[in-house]
Amino acid sequence: MNGLMEKPTKFALCNALSSCAKTLNWHLGIQIHACLIRSGYEDNLFLSSALVDFYAKCFAIVYARKIFRAMKIHDQVSWTSLIAGFSANKQGRDALLLFKEMLGTKIRPNCFTLTSVINACVGQNGALEHCPSLHVHVIKRGFDTSNFVTSSLIDCYAYWGQIHDALLLFNEVSEKDIVIYNTMISGFCQNLYSEDALKLFVEMQEKNMSPTDHTLCSILSACSSLAVLLQGKQVHSLVIKIGSERNVFVASALIDMYSKGGDIDAARCVLDQTSNRNTVLWTSMIMGYAQCGRGLEAVELFDCLLTKQELIPDQVCFTAVLTACNHAGFIDKGEEYFNKMRTSYGLSPDIDQYACLIDLYARNGNLRKARDLMEEMPYDPNCIIWSSVLSACKIYGDVELGREAANQLIKMEPCNAAPYLTLAHIYD
DNA sequence: ATAGGGTTAG
């Protein structure tokens, strides 16, 4: 890259940029950018497209857009790279707008473009309305035979709860590969069609397709939802057979499956055998202890991890340990953890941790403290908070606060009859 | 020469 070297070819720079994009090598990529400017290649279409992709992949979407806008002509790759960049960057709206702009040009979208723009509809509020027209594009251009395009469509429909449409697409695929199966299985799981997920998993194996880590995660989550411990254990055997227990996502799914299936000790066993334990895994474990009524163990585990500095807790982790305090009635501990969030870890509590502490106070009859905290916190109380206040008011006979809680809940969920009933009990 | 699918968890 220094001036003494021979001038690199456009081809070499293009390949190098592509590698930098794939490996997220920012440092080298920007040097190549500088080099291609020095070499007078700035107007080269291929290199500019590769630059758009490089910056987009490295989350420098502003630069990607800048390069794209500076280009005099575009090709399918530069359009697609920027659309894909917006999608990956959770800027689905920008991806959809850019796609629309592309349709006004002479450059036609291809199956790479369609895959990218369909992905933009996942996780983007209100994007469901764009799906049918994108689907029409896919069919009109004959991309419906592409498994890449189809899997993104299946995923998109499943995300929006249109499991029937997803299944129609899935059934039409003539050569189903592992990603197509995984997408459909995961779609079933997301929509809590756990039985269907398991059936498809069996069908997949009958066709001699080997499950991947993705498959195992989905299937374990289906077993968790159904709380079918026996089936979950069979999947665990499969995990070991394939050698996927080192995958942290699989480990996480296993811990969750055992916790929800009621075998917390097996969950702990999985965790102990996992070499790269992270905050998510510890949090699952702490929550598992909390929810099966072993709050003391949850708190002891948490304290031990902090002492040994094996855990840097985040908000979700504090929610888990505060939940444990609630179930065990540890008021002082709960307050201590709540304060520690800010003082030791610089975390500002979010509404979930406030809800835990309010619940802890309320459950133990300290409605005054619960109410003070609600007024003091920087959030509007949600249903969870009003519900715990309401049940506490029922137990401790606080008519005035109980009436307010019931009214708030009725306002928030007019169709839910529960607050009316609880309120009636309070007046009794 | 450059671009695209499931990217998972608490």
Side-chain angles (χ1 to χ4, degrees):
Chain A
M1 245 5 107
N2 59 44
L4 299 171
M5 283 166 71
E6 233 178 283
K7 186 168 154 176
T9 66
K10 294 170 193 165
F11 305 96
L13 291 178
C14 203
N15 282 326
L17 271 176
S18 164
S19 304
C20 291
K22 284 188 188 102
T23 57
L24 302 182
N25 191 337
W26 171 261
H27 194 67
L28 186 56
I30 57 171
Q31 285 184 66
I32 295 168
H33 187 180
C35 176
L36 71 85
I37 292 173
R38 275 201 306 273
S39 307
Y41 297 152
E42 249 186 310
D43 289 332
N44 182 279
L45 175 62
F46 293 109
L47 284 172
S48 299
S49 299
L51 274 176
V52 172
D53 185 53
F54 164 72
Y55 284 117
K57 288 249 168 60
C58 291
F59 309 102
I61 197 79
V62 176
Y63 288 155
R65 172 188 248 153
K66 217 177 229 173
I67 302 278
F68 179 87
R69 291 300 174 199
M71 291 167 74
K72 293 187 185 76
I73 52 164
H74 296 118
D75 61 357
Q76 291 177 317
V77 180
S78 45
W79 282 105
T80 304
S81 296
L82 192 55
I83 290 170
F86 282 132
S87 295
N89 228 28
K90 308 266 174 226
Q91 291 175 246
R93 227 179 81 84
D94 293 308
L96 286 158
L97 282 171
L98 195 64
F99 178 72
K100 208 175 155 198
E101 187 185 333
M102 181 187 184
L103 292 179
T105 70
K106 285 198 177 114
I107 310 292
R108 294 295 84 199
N110 60 17
C111 51
F112 288 74
T113 325
L114 262 310
T115 305
S116 304
V117 72
I118 290 163
N119 282 337
C121 300
V122 175
Q124 175 65 38
N125 276 341
L128 174 61
E129 56 172 313
H130 299 284
C131 299
S133 69
L134 292 175
H135 197 166
V136 169
H137 272 290
V138 168
I139 293 167
K140 262 205 216 155
R141 301 185 182 281
F143 299 143
D144 46 348
T145 53
S146 156
N147 277 5
F148 280 77
V149 175
T150 307
S151 57
S152 59
L153 268 175
I154 292 173
D155 187 48
C156 181
Y157 279 127
Y159 173 82
W160 288 106
Q162 319 271 316
I163 203 73
H164 185 70
D165 293 315
L167 193 55
L168 279 178
L169 279 166
F170 174 82
N171 287 333
E172 285 301 309
V173 179
S174 50
E175 306 252 334
K176 297 186 180 71
D177 61 21
I178 187 65
V179 177
I180 290 282
Y181 269 105
N182 283 349
T183 309
M184 194 64 230
I185 289 173
S186 143
F188 276 140
C189 291
Q190 283 168 45
N191 289 279
L192 298 177
Y193 289 92
S194 308
E195 306 268 10
D196 297 276
L198 291 173
K199 264 187 228 155
L200 198 55
F201 176 57
V202 172
E203 182 194 308
M204 189 192 104
Q205 286 173 303
E206 282 166 359
K207 293 197 172 160
N208 286 322
M209 310 212 42
S210 303
T212 64
D213 294 349
H214 278 98
T215 330
L216 296 169
C217 286
S218 298
I219 288 306
L220 286 168
S221 125
C223 293
S224 302
S225 307
L226 296 167
V228 281
L229 194 56
L230 194 65
Q231 215 150 358
K233 281 182 178 165
Q234 287 172 3
V235 181
H236 191 175
S237 311
L238 188 59
V239 166
I240 293 165
K241 198 175 131 198
I242 296 173
S244 287
E245 69 266 52
R246 279 184 309 278
N247 179 304
V248 70
F249 296 104
V250 174
S252 171
L254 278 170
I255 291 168
D256 198 44
M257 183 274 293
Y258 279 121
S259 294
K260 295 217 173 78
D263 192 344
I264 193 74
D265 296 317
R268 182 59 191 263
C269 206
V270 171
L271 181 67
D272 287 339
Q273 285 166 5
T274 308
S275 47
N276 22 340
R277 281 159 241 167
N278 62 23
T279 307
V280 175
L281 295 186
W282 287 122
T283 303
S284 295
M285 198 63 237
I286 293 163
M287 197 54 126
Y289 280 128
Q291 286 174 337
C292 75
R294 286 160 61 169
L296 181 60
E297 278 162 277
V299 168
E300 281 173 351
L301 176 60
F302 184 76
D303 284 341
C304 173
L305 291 168
L306 292 195
T307 309
K308 291 200 269 177
Q309 298 192 319
E310 279 183 46
L311 171 73
I312 300 166
D314 59 11
Q315 275 116 327
V316 187
C317 194
F318 275 104
T319 301
V321 75
L322 287 169
T323 304
C325 292
N326 281 0
H327 289 227
F330 299 153
I331 301 183
D332 295 345
K333 267 279 179 199
E335 280 181 332
E336 179 196 321
Y337 291 136
F338 188 84
N339 294 327
K340 212 171 185 169
M341 283 185 76
R342 228 194 269 280
T343 54
S344 302
Y345 297 95
L347 299 165
S348 20
D350 64 34
I351 193 160
D352 292 332
Q353 291 92 53
Y354 275 106
C356 282
L357 194 57
I358 290 164
D359 189 49
L360 182 58
Y361 287 142
R363 243 175 229 278
N364 289 282
N366 202 334
L367 289 166
R368 158 116 231 129
K369 273 195 162 181
R371 195 215 286 262
D372 286 348
L373 191 57
M374 281 166 77
E375 274 163 22
E376 182 192 305
M377 69 176 184
Y379 306 97
D380 288 329
N382 58 19
C383 296
I384 297 170
I385 292 173
W386 284 122
S387 300
S388 46
V389 169
L390 181 59
S391 8
C393 289
K394 182 184 155 191
I395 296 165
Y396 298 102
D398 188 325
V399 177
E400 196 197 333
L401 186 58
R403 185 165 42 195
E404 192 192 346
N407 284 337
Q408 292 289 344
L409 282 167
I410 290 161
K411 223 191 277 172
M412 287 171 172
E413 300 179 311
C415 297
N416 188 351
Y420 293 98
L421 295 173
T422 313
L423 194 58
H425 278 291
I426 291 175
Y427 283 122
D428 275 347

